[in-house]
């Protein structure tokens, strides 16, 4: 059992953590998925000095700095650890590379033998620099601001491990799940263990909350979604809560749509992420009670800026403003986003 600093949320008066505890605040706390990254000139400068993307992730001095850059610039309510969902397969012994201008590449896994070749348990020593980054960020961050740790959901991480890369509907993983469900289940089971251990290590190092990103499960038909997205995410939450009973958790099954109600009924998270394409009123009905919603400004409206961005912010605040809400995007900040537009989003949300 982990010791949590007793009056953590209260003493820090973190508006983000109060919202995860079920309070509806005006204005809502704000952070943005992919708030650190290439759209920021200070990120590009540091990235060039660090070498590769993984060097940046595994060098605490650099990763700490990159995590804090958007907080300094925009006064957001939460920082998210600068890392990637693919550090988990890396720490299970897979080869992970990031190809400049293209994205992640892994050696595709095709058989049960490949699953058996994974490390028995995630190598937390290998990821020690990540946890050191968490501790450094927490020490440097203002007490009123929260630090979010994260992992990819087992399904989304499995799609990269099986396909070797992102791509069209993540078809290789879906094909394996239909053809050899036992093989795919064995991989998912390994990832449930590894993801829970990785989230717990981040919480122990000082993360205030954790988010589970399921970026690709929204495409699945309902029965497959229940098996490969809902059940493993529920299992990860239960493993985490068995060790840290009050761990604040955000679950983001991007594009869950009409599947969100069943997902939220099964998954014991404090908040649910809402993608750009979702109907906000329906999302609100799907998550009853005091559990929070997080989203869902269109990242392309953030690129556009101006009156379109103001309208996009207002639409979310009008639909969800009296519900516990964490204002965010429906997906990550895009590289072509002018940084001033992030400042505009924050100002608009805080002016109401
Ligand atoms: O400089 C660069 O070239 C790196 C681009 C980059 C960045 C900034 C990648 C490669 N990852 C990240 C950071 C990252 N990734 C964070 C850090 C914190 C923040 O939000 O600011 C987080 C939370 C992620 C999570 C992540 N990685 C997801 C889930 C969320 C999502 O975007 O759907 C996924 C699917 C990945 C895989 C990945 N890593 C990087 C890229 C370009 C991708 C997507 C590849 C694809 O399109 O399939």
């Amino acid at each position: 059992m982990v010791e949590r600093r007793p009056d953590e949320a209260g003493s820090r008066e973190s508006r983000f953590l109060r919202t995860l505890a079920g309070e509806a605040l005006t204005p809502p706390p704000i952070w943005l998925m992919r708030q650190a990254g290439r759209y920021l000139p200070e990120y590009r400068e540091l990235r060039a000095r660090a070498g590769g993307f993984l060097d940046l992730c595994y060098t605490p001095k650099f990763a700490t700095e990159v995590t804090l850059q958007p907080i300094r610039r925009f006064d957001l309510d939460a920082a998210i650890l600068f890392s990637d969902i693919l550090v988990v397969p890396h720490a299970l012994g897979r080869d992970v590379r990031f190809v400049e201008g293209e994205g992640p590449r892994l050696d595709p896994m095709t058989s049960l033998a490949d699953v058996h070749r994974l490390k028995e348990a995630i190598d937390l020593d290998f990821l020690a620099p990540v946890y050191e980054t968490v501790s450094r960020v927490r020490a440097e961050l203002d007490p009123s601001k929260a630090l979010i740790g994260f992992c990819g959901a087992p399904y989304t991480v499995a799609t990269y491990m099986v396909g070797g890369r992102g791509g069209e509907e993540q078809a290789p993983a879906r094909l394996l799940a239909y053809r050899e469900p036992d093989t795919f289940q064995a991989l998912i089971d390994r990832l449930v263990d590894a993801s829970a251990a990785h989230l717990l290590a981040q919480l122990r190092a000082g993360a205030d909350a954790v988010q589970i990103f399921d970026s690709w499960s929204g495409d699945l038909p309902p029965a497959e979604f229940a098996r490969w997205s809902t059940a493993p995410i529920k299992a990860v939450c239960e493993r985490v809560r068995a060790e840290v009973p009050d761990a604040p958790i955000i679950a983001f099954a991007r594009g869950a749509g009409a599947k969100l109600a069943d997902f939220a009924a099964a998954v014991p998270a404090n908040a649910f992420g809402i993608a750009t394409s979702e109907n906000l009123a329906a999302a609100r009905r799907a998550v009853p009670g005091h559990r929070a919603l997080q989203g869902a400004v269109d990242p392309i409206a953030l690129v556009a800026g101006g009156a379109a961005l103001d309208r996009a912010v207002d639409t979310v605040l009008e639909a969800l403003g009296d519900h516990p809400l964490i204002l965010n995007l429906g997906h990550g900040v895009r590289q072509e986003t002018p940084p001033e537009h992030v400042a505009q989003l924050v100002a608009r949300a805080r002016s109401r």
Side-chain angles (χ1 to χ4, degrees):
M1 195 87 121
V2 174
E3 238 179 79
R4 306 273 293 169
R5 288 142 295 190
D7 54 353
E8 197 166 38
S11 66
R12 290 193 179 132
E13 285 179 3
S14 158
R15 307 180 86 256
F16 173 85
L17 292 176
R18 283 169 59 196
T19 303
L20 286 181
E23 268 187 76
L25 299 177
T26 306
I30 308 169
W31 74 278
L32 303 181
M33 291 185 281
R34 292 277 173 100
Q35 63 193 20
R38 284 178 180 248
Y39 77 105
L40 289 178
E42 59 269 37
Y43 171 85
R44 293 195 298 270
E45 194 268 320
L46 210 148
R47 168 87 159 75
R49 274 199 283 145
F53 171 68
L54 281 175
D55 298 315
L56 188 53
C57 292
Y58 294 143
T59 308
K61 184 175 58 147
F62 291 150
T64 299
E65 176 57 23
V66 169
T67 303
L68 293 170
Q69 282 173 346
I71 311 302
R72 293 200 193 102
R73 208 189 240 261
F74 306 117
D75 188 38
L76 299 156
D77 294 281
I80 182 160
L81 167 72
F82 190 83
S83 180
D84 197 80
I85 63 169
L86 298 175
V87 302
V88 166
H90 208 196
L92 284 169
R94 301 301 296 177
D95 189 29
V96 176
R97 306 168 299 281
F98 283 83
V99 179
E100 211 53 52
E102 289 189 38
R105 293 287 181 277
L106 292 79
D107 294 332
M109 294 177 67
T110 54
S111 66
L112 192 58
D114 285 339
V115 178
H116 288 148
R117 272 194 287 275
L118 292 172
K119 289 188 180 167
E120 199 58 49
I122 183 171
D123 185 347
L124 296 179
D125 291 336
F126 178 82
L127 295 180
V130 174
Y131 310 128
E132 186 186 332
T133 302
V134 170
S135 300
R136 285 188 184 212
V137 173
R138 188 53 276 174
E140 287 191 32
L141 201 57
D142 188 271
S144 67
K145 308 213 179 274
L147 172 59
I148 306 167
F150 71 92
C151 69
Y155 176 74
T156 283
V157 175
T159 66
Y160 287 96
M161 293 172 84
V162 173
R165 56 189 295 173
E168 189 71 20
E169 296 174 357
Q170 307 298 78
R174 281 160 70 178
L175 205 51
L176 183 67
Y178 285 119
R179 283 184 174 152
E180 290 185 43
D182 293 346
T183 299
F184 199 64
Q185 185 72 59
L187 176 56
I188 291 285
D189 290 347
R190 287 294 184 88
L191 288 170
V192 167
D193 293 344
S195 306
H198 183 47
L199 292 182
L200 282 164
Q202 293 174 70
L203 288 163
R204 289 179 175 129
D208 299 295
V210 290
Q211 173 155 328
I212 302 168
F213 288 89
D214 211 350
S215 303
W216 297 114
S217 61
D219 286 342
L220 293 172
E224 280 67 33
F225 181 86
R227 178 166 184 187
W228 304 124
S229 179
T230 306
I233 291 176
K234 176 174 188 267
V236 172
C237 292
E238 287 170 351
R239 297 279 178 88
V240 169
R241 291 271 173 71
E243 302 278 333
V244 183
D246 60 348
I249 303 176
I250 304 166
F252 182 34
R254 185 168 71 89
K259 301 179 291 257
L260 180 62
D262 287 347
F263 180 76
V267 171
N270 302 71
F272 293 86
I274 308 297
T276 309
S277 56
E278 306 283 1
N279 176 307
L280 298 175
R284 188 181 173 145
R285 283 194 297 277
V287 182
H290 292 289
R291 296 195 296 167
L293 295 171
Q294 174 175 283
V297 175
D298 187 349
I300 311 271
L302 187 64
V303 175
L309 175 58
D310 285 346
R311 263 197 312 279
V313 171
D314 293 352
T315 301
V316 175
L317 295 179
E318 275 151 28
L320 304 174
D322 58 351
H323 188 85
L325 170 68
I326 297 162
L327 189 69
N328 202 315
L329 302 178
H331 200 187
V333 177
R334 297 168 66 95
Q335 196 177 325
E336 68 271 29
T337 305
E340 314 80 74
H341 293 181
V342 175
Q344 182 193 335
L345 176 150
V346 172
R348 183 73 180 185
R350 291 191 180 150
S351 71
R352 291 167 52 103

